[in-house]
Amino acid sequence: MKKQLKFKFLTIALIVSLAIIGVGCDRLFKKPFQLPASAKQEPWPIQTGLRAAILRDNIPTVNRLVLVPDEATFLAAIQKWNLKGNWPILIEDKKYTPMFVQRFQPEEIVRLPSIKQQLPKNQKLQQLMLNASAAAWKATDTQTLKAQWKQLGWEPPGVVITSENDAARSAAVALAAAHGQPLVFLEGNFGKPNDTLNNTQWKNLQLAVTKAVESTGYFYSQLADPLDTITIVRQLAVKYQSPEKPDEQLAVTDGLGTTPQRRTLGGGRLDLRFRGAIDLSSHVRLISRYRNRPAL
């Protein structure tokens, strides 16, 4: 009788232990940002939308507005974002900041003093921007960011492209960090918004953008590959000369991101968005981003 009772207790203890281990393993291997397997059967635009929804569900927008006096402080402030939430950060001015405050109606406004540091240049500036974007995901650089995304099950739905010499470069950092997308750089002169690229310029731009996207290491050529969008945050011509009809002008947004595979599958180009190609304040772009913010 005692042996049977002892055996029952051991059996119960073993079951409880296995249950605890199972829960621990589930937590260990859980990937909260992963797209459900069933979603892989959905059309590619639906998959992109579902990934955006997963991001919003996991990283809410905190009802707070942070105002900073300069760009260096802006990049430092972005590094305070985390996986529990992020919030809008503005370089304060007298025109656009009041507009944003009125629209966003934050419960809390925080003004940060300047960190009083000069921004570096060239490669060091690029590294600072990359590290600032990575910090929002509890990573230290591009490599650890990619590892963090893999651990979370996150596949970035797009890529953010900017230039270290463009006035909108810090907005690119914010977009990459907030939307969980790799940040890459496109340097060189590719015209102004009202310019039209000739055939040589257009080919150079196509090649440069393709190399920038490929540098992320994520697939993009097929429909429903991880990268389905391109966000360009820098000055750029918005028209190019048609290779077939020299007198005809085509939209850069229709030509960039097109691959033979995507044309064959009937999906066309990568979804391309311009942010900063036209001289608009980043405050206005932020208002657009946060205007449909759910109440917290």
Side-chain angles (χ1 to χ4, degrees):
M1 183 71 179
K2 290 183 178 180
K3 287 184 177 180
Q4 290 180 343
L5 190 61
K6 185 176 181 181
F7 178 76
K8 287 183 179 180
F9 280 133
L10 287 173
T11 302
I12 293 171
L14 178 61
I15 293 172
V16 171
S17 298
L18 290 173
I20 293 173
I21 292 172
V23 172
C25 290
D26 181 64
R27 289 179 179 176
L28 181 63
F29 294 107
K30 186 178 180 181
K31 296 185 176 184
F33 289 78
Q34 190 169 39
L35 197 66
S38 59
K40 295 292 186 180
Q41 307 304 317
E42 298 289 345
W44 70 269
I46 302 297
Q47 291 188 39
T48 301
L50 289 173
R51 281 188 280 176
I54 287 173
L55 189 66
R56 287 196 301 268
D57 290 342
N58 281 277
I59 307 180
T61 300
V62 178
N63 204 343
R64 171 192 304 146
L65 172 63
V66 172
L67 302 176
V68 299
D70 52 55
E71 189 178 6
T73 309
F74 182 93
L75 293 177
I78 284 179
Q79 298 179 53
K80 301 300 181 182
W81 285 353
N82 53 63
L83 297 180
K84 295 181 179 179
N86 55 39
W87 46 87
I89 304 168
L90 302 182
I91 298 177
E92 188 171 10
D93 67 6
K94 294 181 180 180
K95 181 178 180 180
Y96 292 107
T97 300
M99 291 170 54
F100 187 90
V101 171
Q102 183 179 15
R103 186 66 184 89
F104 186 68
Q105 296 183 353
E107 291 183 357
E108 178 186 18
I109 297 179
V110 178
R111 282 184 170 85
L112 298 180
S114 174
I115 62 173
K116 296 181 179 180
Q117 290 183 6
Q118 285 287 107
L119 286 176
K121 296 181 179 180
N122 303 322
Q123 193 66 31
K124 289 184 178 180
L125 175 57
Q126 289 190 10
Q127 197 59 55
L128 173 63
M129 295 168 66
L130 291 169
N131 293 350
S133 179
W137 287 80
K138 294 182 66 176
T140 56
D141 54 29
T142 302
Q143 294 302 317
T144 56
L145 176 61
K146 202 168 184 179
Q148 172 76 319
W149 283 342
K150 184 176 181 180
Q151 184 177 349
L152 293 170
W154 176 247
E155 286 187 323
V159 57
V160 178
I161 300 177
T162 190
S163 166
E164 67 183 51
N165 298 308
D166 196 275
R169 61 195 177 194
S170 290
V173 177
L175 287 166
H179 294 284
Q181 299 184 17
L183 176 66
V184 295
F185 295 90
L186 176 67
E187 303 303 335
N189 181 6
F190 297 102
K192 297 180 180 180
N194 291 327
D195 292 344
T196 299
L197 300 177
N198 61 36
N199 196 37
T200 300
Q201 292 171 321
W202 169 240
K203 288 182 179 179
N204 289 339
L205 176 61
Q206 282 184 304
L207 180 60
V209 169
T210 298
K211 286 184 176 180
V213 174
E214 289 177 345
S215 71
T216 66
Y218 291 99
F219 294 112
Y220 70 94
S221 62
Q222 302 283 345
L223 294 176
D225 274 347
L227 297 186
D228 266 325
T229 68
I230 301 173
T231 302
I232 294 184
V233 192
R234 57 153 292 165
Q235 182 171 261
L236 197 69
V238 297
K239 295 174 289 184
Y240 71 97
Q241 185 182 43
S242 171
E244 290 80 21
K245 300 177 181 179
D247 295 333
E248 184 177 347
Q249 295 178 343
L250 303 176
V252 168
T253 50
D254 289 336
L256 278 182
T258 301
T259 66
Q261 294 89 341
R262 285 176 175 270
R263 280 196 294 267
T264 300
L265 292 170
R269 58 181 172 77
L270 289 163
D271 182 27
L272 180 64
R273 301 159 187 193
F274 274 108
R275 311 256 187 156
I278 301 174
D279 186 22
L280 294 176
S281 169
S282 60
H283 297 69
V284 176
R285 291 193 293 274
L286 282 169
I287 289 174
S288 175
R289 179 191 161 201
Y290 287 107
R291 63 185 174 188
N292 295 319
R293 172 185 55 83
L296 296 177

